[in-house]
Amino acid sequence: MNLKLLVKGGHVVDPSTGLDQICDVLVDNGRIAAVGDALPAPEEHCTVLDATGLVVAPGLVDLHIHLREPGFEDKETIATGCAAAARGGVTTVVAMPNTRPATDCPEMVARVKEKAALTGVTVYPAAAVTVGQKGEALTDFQALWQAGVPALTDDGVPIQNLALLRQAMQQARTLGLPILDHCEDKDLVRNYAVNEGVVSQQLGIPGRPAIAEELQVMRDVMLSKDTGARVHICHISTAGTVDIIRRAKAEGISVTCETCPQYFTLIEEEILRQGAMARVNPPLRTASDRDAILEGLKDGTIDAIVTDHAPHCAWEKAQPLEQAPSGMVGLETSLGLALTYLYHAGHMSLMDVINRMSTAPAALLRLPKGTLQVGQHADLVIFHPDEVWTVDRDAFASKGRNTPFHGFQLQGKVKYTISMGQIIYQED
Ligand code: DOR
Ligand code: ZN
């Protein structure tokens, strides 16, 4: 049976066309069938959703999440991670390869996709740049490209060997595949828990300096210029990085970047309040870094907002700051945080926020997503832009409860998530 869905009277925001008005959206057979005023409901098998007072936008596209399966199912599974995505209005995710085994061959890509196909969320596995993410030998880019990966990355275990990285960029360029790079110099950051600054001083522990990120970003910019490869810098966190990327873009170098909600909402002092719960790589930085990240979002230097959703077990995060793993979950709070801190705070329009969370990231990896144009996949997020709610980590669909935003009041709440024409989440 071919189910139809008519979303009536919502405020439709589509950055791919610039549409920003109250109208209806008709979905048929998993695709957008029509967008317009007062669309009549088809007579048969049509669900009608009243979206009065709600925003209707393309489903969110999160280019950076960790699903943990296979290998770390106690932290998250493909099923629970995708349920978290659905709850957050996210219909498409790019899953990082730092699983066990790593996603470094077509068989592993197929395995992740097969499991993900049962979830309703579209999962694109990103493949490792090096075999087992060991930083020694390149994976078979051609075979991975044929297996449909949208990008290559060693996120979680960033590549340090420059000869290997340059060779990777040369090969990736011939296939048109971008490299997503987690930029932190291993020797400068070791396994340190926090930013190098007032908090590391106060705690009397070594920290991860901003320069550890910026040196690698500069390196990547120069290698991108040298090789012509498309390089996308993961989760940027410092003012210096924003500056480097802004200048590189002005020079026409094909570098793009993303940041996460934690870098435009929190600063390093959060560690003093929340300890390991606020530990993440790269670390929370200073207020001036946060302000520069905001500027970078406003002026378009930062292309995408992603979560770096990184679930860990409660017992792992309960360890002392220096032993606990880095990372925070993000899928179920990203839209609320972006609406609260970017839109309601007056920094960005609704259109701009949706663009940075859906249309722009889809375009970066050339995914057929992030649009409500007729004929395209019917992936939608429907949210109340003004409703205030309180983050409750115990209500998460994710297995990960490691959020520093527990108890935060956010403004903007997901009501429905629709993927390929199916309602995959509906608020209780
Ligand atoms: O904080 C982080 N956690 N940063 C990363 O790059 C990896 C991630 C993880 O896999 O836990
Ligand atoms: Zn990373």
Side-chain angles (χ1 to χ4, degrees):
M1 192 168 56
N2 171 25
L3 284 177
K4 299 185 176 74
L5 186 68
L6 180 62
V7 182
K8 279 207 81 69
H11 172 189
V12 179
V13 176
D14 180 4
S16 79
T17 57
L19 185 69
D20 190 356
Q21 67 185 54
I22 308 277
C23 63
D24 302 341
V25 177
L26 179 66
V27 170
D28 186 3
N29 202 16
R31 303 255 170 187
I32 305 286
V35 180
D37 286 327
L39 297 177
E43 276 134 43
E44 292 204 314
H45 309 305
C46 184
T47 306
V48 179
L49 293 185
D50 178 9
T52 308
L54 305 180
V55 172
V56 178
L60 305 181
V61 176
D62 190 335
L63 296 186
H64 192 138
I65 71 149
H66 297 269
L67 285 174
R68 306 299 193 203
E69 184 181 353
F72 304 97
E73 288 85 349
D74 47 344
K75 296 177 194 268
E76 191 80 291
T77 64
I78 291 171
T80 58
C82 288
R87 218 169 153 265
V90 177
T91 51
T92 300
V93 296
V94 175
M96 292 296 119
N98 61 338
T99 47
R100 193 170 60 206
T103 312
D104 64 358
C105 60
E107 294 71 29
M108 283 300 303
V109 171
R111 200 168 138 186
V112 174
K113 278 193 180 174
E114 202 179 301
K115 285 239 167 137
L118 307 169
T119 69
V121 170
T122 303
V123 176
Y124 291 95
V129 175
T130 66
V131 177
Q133 292 193 289
K134 290 197 167 68
E136 289 160 8
L138 296 184
T139 53
D140 186 342
F141 291 6
Q142 174 89 26
L144 289 162
W145 175 71
Q146 275 165 349
V149 307
L152 300 159
T153 179
D154 268 2
D155 183 72
V157 200
I159 307 162
Q160 308 292 318
N161 179 327
L162 283 179
L164 202 63
L165 183 57
R166 181 162 183 257
Q167 203 189 336
M169 286 194 195
Q170 285 163 340
Q171 281 192 27
R173 179 182 182 265
T174 64
L175 296 166
L177 278 176
I179 301 237
L180 319 179
D181 205 13
H182 175 135
C183 287
E184 281 193 297
D185 182 89
K186 186 167 139 277
D187 299 310
L188 285 172
V189 302
R190 303 278 200 98
N191 190 32
Y192 302 153
V194 300
N195 183 43
E196 181 184 283
V198 290
V199 171
S200 66
Q201 260 166 30
Q202 195 172 325
L203 297 175
I205 58 178
R208 307 166 91 94
I211 193 83
E213 174 176 316
E214 292 152 6
L215 283 169
Q216 291 214 338
V217 173
M218 183 63 98
R219 173 199 80 171
D220 280 14
V221 163
M222 294 182 78
L223 281 173
S224 169
K225 185 175 178 183
D226 169 62
T227 61
R230 289 161 58 208
V231 177
H232 177 78
I233 312 293
C234 295
H235 41 51
I236 74 165
S237 70
T238 81
T241 297
V242 176
D243 192 45
I244 293 165
I245 293 173
R246 188 180 283 124
R247 283 187 283 132
K249 284 184 164 185
E251 235 197 273
I253 298 170
S254 53
V255 62
T256 57
C257 69
E258 63 188 33
T259 193
C260 314
Q262 54 266 31
Y263 303 117
F264 60 76
T265 57
L266 302 179
I267 55 175
E268 58 185 334
E269 279 80 359
E270 202 61 37
I271 289 279
L272 301 175
R273 276 185 286 276
Q274 301 207 43
M277 207 54 100
R279 177 174 176 173
V280 62
N281 296 340
L284 300 178
R285 307 281 190 187
T286 67
S288 58
D289 290 310
R290 179 204 54 200
D291 294 347
I293 294 287
L294 270 173
E295 271 316 303
L297 281 165
K298 285 162 76 167
D299 74 10
T301 300
I302 301 176
D303 303 87
I305 297 168
V306 306
T307 60
D308 191 13
H309 178 82
H312 292 293
C313 299
W315 70 266
E316 294 175 297
K317 278 294 199 181
Q319 296 173 104
L321 176 63
E322 290 186 277
Q323 273 101 63
S326 297
M328 20 184 95
V329 290
L331 283 165
E332 293 168 79
T333 49
S334 58
L335 182 62
L337 287 164
L339 291 172
T340 306
Y341 288 84
L342 301 176
Y343 169 59
H344 290 297
H347 294 300
M348 284 166 75
S349 68
L350 210 45
M351 181 70 78
D352 241 9
V353 170
I354 302 296
N355 185 33
R356 244 53 83 80
M357 298 187 81
S358 178
T359 309
L364 282 180
L365 297 200
R366 299 177 180 157
L367 310 176
K369 300 290 185 181
T371 173
L372 298 179
Q373 289 184 59
V374 170
Q376 299 299 315
H377 296 164
D379 292 354
L380 290 90
V381 57
I382 302 177
F383 60 92
H384 195 300
D386 302 319
E387 188 176 321
V388 175
W389 59 290
T390 304
V391 177
D392 175 7
R393 65 183 172 213
D394 300 313
F396 284 171
S398 171
K399 283 193 181 184
R401 299 286 188 263
N402 50 309
T403 176
F405 300 109
H406 180 64
F408 274 47
Q409 284 217 328
L410 302 182
Q411 195 176 9
K413 191 157 200 302
V414 177
K415 298 287 169 180
Y416 299 93
T417 306
I418 294 159
S419 173
M420 306 295 281
Q422 306 288 323
I423 298 174
I424 58 167
Y425 169 74
Q426 181 168 355
E427 191 193 43
D428 299 330

